[in-house]
Amino acid sequence: MSPSREPLFLARQNYRRRRISDAARLLPFLGVILFMQPLLAAGQGGNGTAGWLVYVFVVWVMLIVVAAILSRRLAKTGSDEVSPPGYGVEDAR
């Protein structure tokens, strides 16, 4: 066992930052799925065009709000974190 081995568990702040960043990466896929709902349900009748337009704009606004919340949390937790080795210009030497 080498002494330079990384710890098995991450610190709580690093773990939260990674989960928030994972959520931010998955947000566009969630948006695509939610925006596809009117297209998938178009053949089944359902709401009229006005109802689907309201749905699309509500989903759009909610995606913006969630992205803003995730962005703030990432900015708040990212200011004091050091990037891992190999992820910077100074490490490229």
Side-chain angles (χ1 to χ4, degrees):
M1 179 171 244
S2 68
S4 65
R5 190 171 185 182
E6 293 288 321
L8 184 58
F9 298 105
L10 293 174
R12 180 174 289 172
Q13 189 172 7
N14 292 343
Y15 180 78
R16 284 184 182 160
R17 178 168 170 73
R18 286 187 181 190
R19 296 298 74 86
I20 293 170
S21 117
D22 289 344
R25 287 185 190 117
L26 289 176
L27 194 61
F29 297 107
L30 176 66
V32 167
I33 290 170
L34 290 174
F35 282 138
M36 293 291 287
Q37 289 297 325
L39 297 175
L40 296 174
Q44 300 172 358
N47 292 352
T49 305
W52 286 119
L53 275 174
V54 170
Y55 170 80
V56 166
F57 281 109
V58 167
V59 167
W60 182 40
V61 168
M62 294 203 40
L63 286 171
I64 291 171
V65 168
V66 170
I69 291 170
L70 290 175
S71 173
R72 265 188 190 216
R73 287 191 180 176
L74 277 173
K76 191 185 309 182
T77 62
S79 60
D80 57 352
E81 185 178 324
V82 177
S83 62
Y87 283 94
V89 175
E90 65 276 354
D91 293 329
R93 293 182 244 154

